[in-house]
Amino acid sequence: TNSIKEFLQTKDIEILEELAGKPKEYHAKVRIDTLFGKQELYLIAKDKKKITEDDLAIALHKAQSEKMPAYILTQGDIDKTAKPFLDSWKNLLKFEKLK
């Protein structure tokens, strides 16, 4: 969790509200600056080697229930089979790999 918070700070991403998380998973509402002003996103950070289409679908569903786009942060890679799903939802689903 601390490494995630540090990563968000380096990217100037503000944590608005920390939500319930599980072991190896962190949920929060965050805010970023964009060309169009401040944008709120539903962050899901996962400690997983592979992110599957199911992971993306669940993240999208959770974010949509909050009427927000989803932002997935992980140290792992996105599964090949999940890439088309990510591409088709790219306006509502952001994926970033932690370095």
Side-chain angles (χ1 to χ4, degrees):
T1 308
N2 286 339
S3 62
I4 292 161
K5 288 179 183 175
E6 287 167 18
F7 177 80
L8 294 174
Q9 278 183 333
T10 63
K11 299 256 222 184
D12 284 332
I13 297 173
E14 176 188 357
I15 298 172
L16 298 175
E17 181 184 353
E18 292 189 36
L19 305 166
K22 302 173 197 162
K24 299 191 170 216
E25 200 170 301
Y26 175 74
H27 293 225
K29 290 182 182 178
V30 298
R31 183 165 43 207
I32 59 170
D33 279 320
T34 71
L35 293 170
F36 304 106
K38 294 196 180 287
Q39 169 78 55
E40 292 184 7
L41 303 166
Y42 190 97
L43 168 76
I44 298 178
K46 286 183 169 276
D47 185 7
K48 270 182 98 174
K49 291 195 184 337
K50 281 271 185 210
I51 296 297
T52 65
E53 188 174 334
D54 282 350
D55 292 326
L56 297 177
I58 290 165
L60 189 62
H61 181 72
K62 281 190 171 153
Q64 285 181 329
S65 72
E66 297 287 336
K67 296 177 177 52
M68 303 169 98
Y71 175 37
I72 298 177
L73 201 52
T74 182
Q75 294 168 322
D77 293 307
I78 192 152
D79 193 64
K80 279 184 213 157
T81 57
K83 280 191 174 143
F85 184 88
L86 182 62
D87 289 341
S88 66
W89 287 94
K90 68 179 176 267
N91 290 327
L92 295 173
L93 194 58
K94 303 293 176 213
F95 174 82
E96 190 164 4
K97 187 173 174 176
L98 280 166
K99 279 134 185 102

